Structure formats: structure tokens, C-alpha cells
Amino acid sequence: MSNAVRPATSAFASGMSSARVSKDSNLYEGLCKYLLRKRTLNLLYISIGVTHVILALLTIDLWGQGIRSILHLLRPTTIFLTITAFVLGVLPVLVFRKVSLTPRLDPKPTMAAQIRSLVTQLQAWRILAVYLGSSIALTIAFLYLAPQSGRFSVFKSTTLYPWHLNERFVFMVSSNLSVAALYAIGSLLNQRNVVRWPVTRETPISEVITNGIFEQIKSKLLFTLGVTGVFTPLYMIFRRAIFRFFVFIAKPFIYNFLRSRVWPITLSLIFRTVCLNVATVMVWFIAELIFDVYTSTPVSLSLYATNPTECLVAGITSKSEDGYYQGFALAELAELAKSSGNAAVNRRKTIFSDLKTPPSASAWSLICRETLIVLGKDYQTLLKRGTSAPAAPPTSAAPAAKTPITPRTPSAVKRTSIYAAPPGTPADKLLDNISGYLALADDAMDQTTKKLPMPSLFSSTAAPSKPSSQSSSALIPSAGSVATQLYDGANRVLPTQVMLMVDLEEKVYKAAGSALFKTRTKNVVEMALPNMVVDMWAIDALCHFAANSFTEDPYGLVQRDIPRILEAMLAFQQALEAFKKEWHHL
């Protein structure tokens, strides 16, 4: 079974006719845009249905209405609120994903470097703001759909403050905002706006989407439950301190938060908050997964143009959208080169038989040149290891010519100094004077000691005492024993809880340092090979076209390009082997 991408078939292929394609749509970009519009409409329909089902199911009152609550799915109010939630809470996220879509990876070796890069990008802050705004819209729609929605209203009026906030609403909004912020940061760190071309894709798009949902739904649920589980106790601990800080600014809105004798956080409120957070993450996750699949799955498009060869060549030479459409064309070219059907053989013969006189270039010449340019750019990126400065190749200087040395008669070595002593600096003179004064003081002290008797207590020449049985080194404790005694004493004095907190802080600090500043192998590989899948398609296309040319090229056009193709392949292979050796040491 082939490992290359097999362009998938879809409703686009079955429903398209030449009458519906405009005159300019024989170019590859026009067909790609038409395909993406069709997929975008499918994405909107599926996302609206998913949003409706998830929000309606998670707001059903099974305890209050039982089986009759299933009718909640079909109520006009429910349908209106879910569509509003999609327009305000899901559609802005998809729009920003489309606006920021790019096929170019920009990884960093460490997470700290990635965070520094994101902080300086205005686009990242805009995406974060979109996620937070969408989170508020989904929260309001969810609370209106929830049973007993009056308990979760925005305001809960009192006799003194008619516009007093409802703390249940504040808790749910704050929890959902924390989930949305962490979800957005994870998307930015993982570069979800980059097209991830599939390495192998022979299954239909529907199966790809279904498999992706089942593979990732567990991690998304654990993420949601983990964030909610951490946020809830933190809110309970710091709520009074935070409200005291804002009470002078927003006293009419939050004054009763500090005076209420009833604890506002209940199990039912926590359950509703978990349902809200799960609904938010699920609608975003499924909509973005479908968006990723639709924007990265290649499809054979040139078959539906009036001139398939010219359309495919136009796609290969496309440079718009950072080579996004060129990626679709290279996937189709690789599949065309490997296919053994009669239609593929005839198309290859048409490409080989396209003869044009200069200055026009033949179809094969354009295909070969553009494919080699793609490989050449990525080859230079591989040599630079993804950095801006190229890696300087080791250069060996030519050895200088050795001149013969004629032996000379040795002469006697003079060991006397032939230069006068250099004059001393003022600092040297000052040090010499101080040394002289110290020598005179020592002599005077010796003479005084000899003339005047001194008590043996102050004399350094006193008679030595009897040697003790214990050496002096044994009387002085070592530094290691002192440290051990101090550590043991601290363990006895400090409570066990404090020691556990110190150990936990040490482990957390080491784990955070390892996560932030450790070089990640995956990112290093992506820095050196940002277009790895596109390079695979280009290599497949060139190799199979060259192999098929022996029986399908009637004019021998490929023969003159085979040396260049082999040279490019060997150079790329050598660079890959050198990088592989470095990669194993990471």
C-alpha cells in the first residue's frame, strides 16, 4: 500500500460540471477557492448542528421533567439560542482561524522562546480576546437554556442595591473565562493556525473527522475537568480578598458578596459550571477539528478544468498564500506520478509531449524547475537548521608552502642582561617602602623580646605541652558533620508539613524549568524541516516521473534533467543524514 496522499473524493467532485466553472476557473487557484467555499459551507452546517446538540443536551432538566425534557431539543427558543450561541461564540473563532491560516511553521526550540515570540505578536492578543469574548457569549446562551435560569441571572437586586451582581453568575463566567484563556494559549503554543498536511490520507474525510474526535475527546475532557477542579478551590480561597480590593470601585454591585452569610458555591452550581465548560470546549474542539481537516486534505482538481495539464502547471507555479495552493498541486502531482491507471498514463504522456519554443517553457520544464526550487529552499533551511544565519561549513585553509631552512652556525648564548632595569612605578616604590618598614619593626621586636622578659602566656616560644592522646584534627569537627547536625536539628524543629512544602516547591520549580527552558526535539526537527510533507510529495513526483519517462517520454525531455534531479536528491540526502546524527544527540 502506498504511503503517499491519495486525493479524496467529495461532493465537490461528483456535483461539479464544466458549466458551473467560470472561464478563469481553469487555473488551479480558482478551483481551490471553489472547493474551500463548498467545504466552508459544510463546516458551518455541521458546526451549527453540533452546537445545538451539545448545548441542548447539557441543559436538559432530567430530574425535573424526565423524558419530556427531550422535547427541549426541538423548541424554537432552544434553536434560536443555540444559533445565536454559534454566531457569537463559535463563528468568530473560525473566522480568525481562517484569517490567520498559513502553511508555514514557525517553531522555537524551547517553550520560553515560543512564549516570548507570542507576547510580541499583536495577532496572538487578538486571538486571545476573540476566545474570551466568545466564552462570554456561550456562557450567557447556556445560562438562558439551563433549567431554573433565574438563579443564574446577571443581577440579583436587593433593597439597597437594585443592580447588585449575582455571585453564581460571576463564578460561572470566571470559570469559563479561565478555561477559554488556557484553551487559547494552548492553541497558540501548538500553532493551530498552521496547515498540517496529512502524511497518509487514503480514508474518506468523514472517517478522518470521526477518528480525530474519538482520539482527542478524552484529553479535552480531562483538560476541562482539571481546569475547573483547580479554579473552584482557588476561587473559594481568594474570593473575599479580591472582592475587598474592588469594593471601593464597584460597591453597589458586589457589596453583599462580603456580607452574605450563605455560602454561594454549592454542588449544583459546580455541576452546572462543569457542564458549561465542557460545552464550550467541545463546540470549539469539534468545529476546529473539522476546519483543520477541510483545509489540509488534498483533492484532485485539475481533472475538472478544460485543460488539465495547464491547470496543474498553474498550481505548481502558484506562490500566493505562502504556497498554500502549491501544496494542493504538489499532492495531486505526486499522486499522478505514482498512479498506474490508463488515465494517469495518458496525462503523463501529455505532459511529456508538451513542446513549446522559447521564451515559452514546456509543461515538464515548469514542473521540474518549480519542484526543484521547492526542494532547494527547504534544503537551505535544513542547512541553516531553521535559523536566520546560515551554518558556516568547515573550511580548511590551504597549507602554506614550506621553504627550506638553511642551518646556521650556533653562537654562544649570553646569559647576562643586556637591557637596563625598567624604572619602578610609584606603587612599586610604595610597596618597597612598606616592606622595609615591616622588616625594621620585626628586628626591633626581636631585640625587645631578648632584653625584656615576657610572660610565657604571651610568648610564642613557650614550652610545648605534653601531647594529648587525641589529635587536634579530631577535636575540630568537620564541615560535613556540622551541616549534618544542623539539618537533623532543622528536621526535628520544623514541622513535617513545612518540609513537604519545601520539597514540593523544589519539584515544581525543577519541572517548570524543564518545561520552559528544555530544548524540545520535536521543535528542533520542525525548525529544520518545516515543510517535510510537501518535500515528500515533491521527491515522489520527481522520482516517479523520471522512472516513467523511460517508457512514456517520446522526445527524451526528462533525460537532460535527470543529472540535476539526482544531484538535488543526493545533496538533500547528505544534509538529512548529517542532521540525523545531530538529532540523535539531542
Short mmCIF file of all heavy atoms in Angstrom, two decimals, residues 56-57 59-69 72 146-148 272:
data_model
loop_
_atom_site.label_atom_id
_atom_site.label_comp_id
_atom_site.label_asym_id
_atom_site.label_seq_id
_atom_site.Cartn_x
_atom_site.Cartn_y
_atom_site.Cartn_z
N ALA A 56 -28.01 21.88 23.96
CA ALA A 56 -29.33 21.41 24.37
C ALA A 56 -29.25 20.21 25.30
O ALA A 56 -29.98 20.11 26.29
CB ALA A 56 -30.16 21.08 23.13
N LEU A 57 -28.33 19.28 25.00
CA LEU A 57 -28.21 18.09 25.85
C LEU A 57 -27.68 18.42 27.24
O LEU A 57 -28.11 17.84 28.24
CB LEU A 57 -27.30 17.06 25.18
CG LEU A 57 -27.88 16.31 23.97
CD1 LEU A 57 -26.84 15.36 23.39
CD2 LEU A 57 -29.13 15.52 24.37
N THR A 59 -28.12 21.08 28.89
CA THR A 59 -29.04 21.93 29.68
C THR A 59 -30.38 21.25 29.90
O THR A 59 -31.35 21.90 30.31
CB THR A 59 -29.26 23.26 28.95
OG1 THR A 59 -29.68 23.01 27.59
CG2 THR A 59 -27.99 24.08 28.93
N ILE A 60 -30.49 19.95 29.64
CA ILE A 60 -31.74 19.21 29.86
C ILE A 60 -31.95 19.02 31.37
O ILE A 60 -31.01 18.69 32.11
CB ILE A 60 -31.70 17.86 29.14
CG1 ILE A 60 -31.90 18.06 27.64
CG2 ILE A 60 -32.75 16.91 29.67
CD1 ILE A 60 -31.85 16.79 26.84
N ASP A 61 -33.19 19.19 31.81
CA ASP A 61 -33.55 19.01 33.22
C ASP A 61 -34.16 17.61 33.38
O ASP A 61 -35.38 17.42 33.39
CB ASP A 61 -34.56 20.08 33.64
CG ASP A 61 -34.83 20.03 35.14
OD1 ASP A 61 -34.08 19.33 35.86
OD2 ASP A 61 -35.80 20.68 35.58
N LEU A 62 -33.29 16.60 33.49
CA LEU A 62 -33.78 15.22 33.63
C LEU A 62 -34.45 14.99 34.96
O LEU A 62 -35.36 14.16 35.07
CB LEU A 62 -32.62 14.25 33.44
CG LEU A 62 -32.01 14.18 32.03
CD1 LEU A 62 -30.81 13.25 32.01
CD2 LEU A 62 -33.04 13.72 31.02
N TRP A 63 -34.02 15.68 36.00
CA TRP A 63 -34.61 15.47 37.33
C TRP A 63 -36.00 16.12 37.43
O TRP A 63 -36.88 15.63 38.11
CB TRP A 63 -33.70 16.04 38.41
CG TRP A 63 -32.46 15.25 38.58
CD1 TRP A 63 -32.27 14.16 39.38
CD2 TRP A 63 -31.22 15.47 37.92
NE1 TRP A 63 -31.00 13.69 39.26
CE2 TRP A 63 -30.31 14.48 38.37
CE3 TRP A 63 -30.77 16.41 37.00
CZ2 TRP A 63 -29.01 14.40 37.94
CZ3 TRP A 63 -29.46 16.34 36.56
CH2 TRP A 63 -28.61 15.35 37.03
N GLY A 64 -36.18 17.24 36.74
CA GLY A 64 -37.45 17.94 36.87
C GLY A 64 -38.52 17.48 35.91
O GLY A 64 -39.69 17.34 36.28
N GLN A 65 -38.16 17.19 34.65
CA GLN A 65 -39.16 16.87 33.64
C GLN A 65 -39.05 15.45 33.11
O GLN A 65 -39.96 14.99 32.42
CB GLN A 65 -39.05 17.86 32.48
CG GLN A 65 -39.27 19.30 32.88
CD GLN A 65 -39.18 20.23 31.70
OE1 GLN A 65 -39.07 19.80 30.57
NE2 GLN A 65 -39.23 21.53 31.97
N GLY A 66 -37.96 14.78 33.37
CA GLY A 66 -37.83 13.39 32.93
C GLY A 66 -37.71 13.28 31.42
O GLY A 66 -37.02 14.06 30.76
N ILE A 67 -38.44 12.31 30.84
CA ILE A 67 -38.35 12.05 29.41
C ILE A 67 -38.90 13.22 28.60
O ILE A 67 -38.47 13.47 27.47
CB ILE A 67 -39.11 10.75 29.07
CG1 ILE A 67 -38.54 9.58 29.87
CG2 ILE A 67 -39.02 10.45 27.58
CD1 ILE A 67 -37.08 9.30 29.60
N ARG A 68 -39.83 13.97 29.17
CA ARG A 68 -40.40 15.09 28.42
C ARG A 68 -39.37 16.17 28.11
O ARG A 68 -39.56 16.99 27.22
CB ARG A 68 -41.55 15.71 29.22
CG ARG A 68 -42.78 14.81 29.32
CD ARG A 68 -43.86 15.51 30.12
NE ARG A 68 -43.40 15.84 31.47
CZ ARG A 68 -44.08 16.57 32.34
NH1 ARG A 68 -45.28 17.05 31.98
NH2 ARG A 68 -43.60 16.81 33.54
N SER A 69 -38.25 16.14 28.84
CA SER A 69 -37.22 17.15 28.60
C SER A 69 -36.53 16.96 27.25
O SER A 69 -35.84 17.86 26.78
CB SER A 69 -36.18 17.12 29.72
OG SER A 69 -35.56 15.84 29.77
N HIS A 72 -37.01 19.47 24.70
CA HIS A 72 -36.21 20.70 24.82
C HIS A 72 -35.33 20.91 23.58
O HIS A 72 -35.01 22.06 23.23
CB HIS A 72 -35.36 20.59 26.09
CG HIS A 72 -34.43 21.74 26.30
ND1 HIS A 72 -34.88 23.02 26.58
CD2 HIS A 72 -33.08 21.82 26.29
CE1 HIS A 72 -33.85 23.82 26.73
NE2 HIS A 72 -32.75 23.12 26.55
N ALA A 146 -30.39 26.85 30.48
CA ALA A 146 -30.36 25.97 31.65
C ALA A 146 -31.68 26.04 32.41
O ALA A 146 -32.36 27.08 32.43
CB ALA A 146 -29.20 26.36 32.57
N PRO A 147 -32.08 24.93 33.06
CA PRO A 147 -33.28 24.98 33.90
C PRO A 147 -33.06 25.88 35.11
O PRO A 147 -31.94 26.01 35.62
CB PRO A 147 -33.47 23.52 34.33
CG PRO A 147 -32.12 22.90 34.18
CD PRO A 147 -31.46 23.61 33.04
N GLN A 148 -34.15 26.52 35.54
CA GLN A 148 -34.09 27.48 36.65
C GLN A 148 -33.07 28.57 36.34
O GLN A 148 -32.19 28.89 37.13
CB GLN A 148 -33.73 26.79 37.97
CG GLN A 148 -34.72 25.72 38.39
CD GLN A 148 -34.30 25.02 39.66
OE1 GLN A 148 -33.23 25.28 40.21
NE2 GLN A 148 -35.16 24.13 40.15
N ARG A 272 -23.23 22.62 37.21
CA ARG A 272 -23.61 23.44 36.07
C ARG A 272 -22.37 24.09 35.44
O ARG A 272 -22.28 24.24 34.21
CB ARG A 272 -24.60 24.52 36.50
CG ARG A 272 -26.00 24.00 36.75
CD ARG A 272 -26.60 23.45 35.47
NE ARG A 272 -27.87 22.79 35.73
CZ ARG A 272 -28.49 22.05 34.84
NH1 ARG A 272 -27.96 21.86 33.65
NH2 ARG A 272 -29.64 21.46 35.13
#
